[in-house]
């Protein structure tokens, strides 16, 4: 059954909004942590690099993706969240505290006193989110490409969280587990299953909706949700059996198909000047380059910078590119939807571009592109990491300023409606 957007089912604004607003705050923290990187090519095992990676993955991307997923599951799949205020507190605060503790643990030499509480908080937040979202999705009659893909991505998130807890126990409490194997699977399911899997799922809805493109091909919509996890599992098993880089051929082939199909749809967009389209194009280019960087990393030592470059291209290039592109669309849309719900008879809410103008998206795109280039150069030792960190902090500041302005416009509109009503009610 195809799931059609129904905005009457959308959760209250204050459920997804805190997650979306927290995302640029953590982006600034990731920028500050970049300054801790040592000069020269970055090793993926550098504590500062691990802190940056997890601030991006958990602080920036997980917050934005959780907020977007709560909205999309309700609107597209009809998932119900009967106690939204409890759900907010159960998920939001453990995620923020756990993210901060984990970054501090890495920057303080993998301190068990920070690492273990961080794993407990993050495990609770991510597994509770996965359970709530999966329960809502399974109860929904919708079985469209987005719903099926989100079920697969949420399952991958559960695996990623469980592997992360096992890694923390191995490093912080001496659990007798093979940490290298755990690390490989943690990265595989986190980057491929959760991050890219959710982007693939959400793209089936948001790319045609926001970029005004044709739909993805029928065969992709029908088979991707099942084939992508199978390709990841096959590639992961091949890697563990020492098949080398060719083990990733099944996953790489599906990535190539997704990149080509998304770029084809972007070319057919009826909004060719839309800046959100450029975010998606940048994300797809970064994903293609990440495959090349991963192949190059498999040929050389772990500290030559190519593995770190691949991580930057995955987390910031793909993740921030797609997520920030959706952030610039979803944030004003949520504010507009809330205004439409509260509008008095005869009143019309301002358009989404009046809440977050196109100029904000344009600034965000140029900031993203500058951060992407400087981060790539820093990973390979070609530029000081402090420059990339400064660029990331600047981008975060721009996003926070634009969000504050959108919220102020939302508030002013509500006040403008309420004042005449109050005046009319006076004797």
């Amino acid at each position: 059954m195809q799931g059609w957007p129904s905005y009457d089912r959308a959760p209250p604004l204050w459920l997804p909004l805190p997650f979306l607003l927290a995302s640029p705050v953590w982006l600034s923290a990731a920028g500050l942590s970049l300054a801790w990187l040592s000069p020269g090519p970055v090793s993926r095992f550098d504590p500062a690099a691990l802190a940056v990676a997890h601030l991006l993955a958990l602080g920036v991307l997980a917050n934005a993706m959780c907020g977007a997923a709560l909205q999309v599951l309700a609107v597209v799949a009809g998932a119900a969240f009967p106690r939204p205020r409890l759900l907010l507190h159960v998920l939001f605060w453990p995620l923020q505290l756990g993210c901060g503790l984990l970054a501090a643990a890495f920057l303080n030499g993998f301190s068990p006193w920070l690492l273990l509480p961080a794993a407990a908080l993050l495990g609770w937040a991510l597994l509770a989110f996965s359970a709530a979202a999966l329960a809502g999705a399974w109860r929904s009659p919708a079985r469209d490409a987005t719903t099926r893909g989100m079920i697969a991505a949420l399952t991958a998130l559960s695996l990623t969280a469980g592997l992360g807890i096992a890694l923390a126990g191995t490093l912080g409490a001496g659990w007798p587990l093979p940490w290298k194997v755990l690390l490989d699977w943690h990265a595989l399911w986190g980057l491929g299953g959760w991050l890219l899997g959710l982007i693939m799922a959400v793209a089936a809805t948001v790319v045609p909706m926001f970029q005004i493109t044709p739909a993805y091909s029928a065969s992709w919509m029908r088979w991707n949700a099942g084939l992508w996890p199978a390709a990841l599992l096959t590639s992961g098993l091949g890697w563990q059996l020492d098949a080398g880089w060719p083990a990733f051929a099944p996953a790489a082939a599906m990535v190539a198909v997704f990149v080509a199909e998304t770029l084809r749809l972007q070319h057919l967009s009826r909004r060719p000047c839309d800046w959100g389209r450029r975010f998606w194009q940048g994300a797809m280019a970064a994903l293609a380059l990440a495959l090349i960087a991963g192949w190059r990393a498999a040929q050389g030592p772990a500290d030559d910078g190519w593995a770190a470059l691949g991580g930057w291209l995955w987390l910031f290039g793909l993740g921030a590119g797609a997520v920030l592109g959706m952030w610039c669309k979803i944030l004003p849309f949520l504010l507009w939807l809330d205004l439409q719900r509260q509008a008095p008879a005869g009143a019309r809410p301002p358009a989404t571009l009046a809440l977050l103008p196109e100029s904000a998206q344009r600034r965000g795109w140029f900031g993203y592109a500058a951060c992407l280039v400087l981060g790539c150069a820093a990973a390979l030792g070609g530029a000081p990491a402090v420059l990339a960190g400064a660029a990331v902090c600047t981008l975060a500041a721009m996003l926070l300023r634009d969000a504050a302005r959108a919220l102020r416009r939302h508030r002013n509109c509500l006040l403008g409606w309420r004042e005449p009503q109050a005046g009319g009610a006076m004797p």
Side-chain angles (χ1 to χ4, degrees), residues 10 40 88 107 129 142 146 161 181 188 213 228-229 232 244 257 350 354 371 373 399 403 406 410 424:
L88 172 65
L107 294 173
F129 169 74
T146 292
V181 174
L188 181 75
T213 72
W228 176 236
L232 279 179
V257 172
C371 292
V373 171
L399 293 172
H410 170 270

Side-chain angles (χ1 to χ4, degrees), residues 58-261:
L58 294 166
V60 179
L61 300 181
N63 268 300
M65 292 162 75
C66 286
L70 290 170
Q71 181 74 14
V72 172
L73 280 169
V75 170
V76 175
F81 302 110
R83 303 183 67 182
R85 194 172 299 278
L86 176 62
L87 184 64
L88 172 65
H89 293 301
V90 163
L91 300 180
F92 181 77
W93 297 113
L95 178 59
Q96 313 315 312
L97 184 56
C99 180
L101 286 175
L102 184 62
F106 289 135
L107 294 173
N108 285 277
F110 297 87
S111 167
W113 298 104
L114 297 171
L115 188 61
L116 297 177
L121 288 165
L122 290 169
W124 167 265
L126 297 178
L127 291 173
F129 169 74
S130 298
L134 281 170
W138 277 114
R139 287 194 298 264
S140 168
R143 283 298 178 264
D144 59 302
T146 292
T147 305
R148 294 195 307 271
M150 291 187 75
I151 289 172
L154 289 163
T155 304
L157 176 62
S158 301
L159 291 172
T160 305
L163 290 164
I165 293 170
L167 265 173
T170 304
L171 298 174
W175 293 359
L177 299 172
W179 71 269
K180 183 63 169 61
V181 174
L182 293 174
L183 178 62
D184 289 342
W185 285 105
H186 178 69
L188 181 75
W189 288 115
L191 294 176
W194 165 238
L195 174 58
L196 182 53
L198 188 65
I199 289 173
M200 286 177 172
V202 173
T205 294
V206 302
V207 168
M209 178 188 296
F210 290 135
Q211 266 78 64
I212 318 298
T213 72
Y216 281 80
S217 66
S219 58
W220 177 266
M221 300 274 277
R222 186 180 306 113
W223 298 111
N224 173 64
L227 287 179
W228 176 236
L232 279 179
L233 181 60
T234 302
S235 295
L237 289 174
W239 179 257
Q240 295 302 320
L241 294 173
D242 295 325
W245 175 251
F248 288 98
M254 287 203 65
V255 168
V257 172
F258 174 64
V259 169
E261 179 74 356

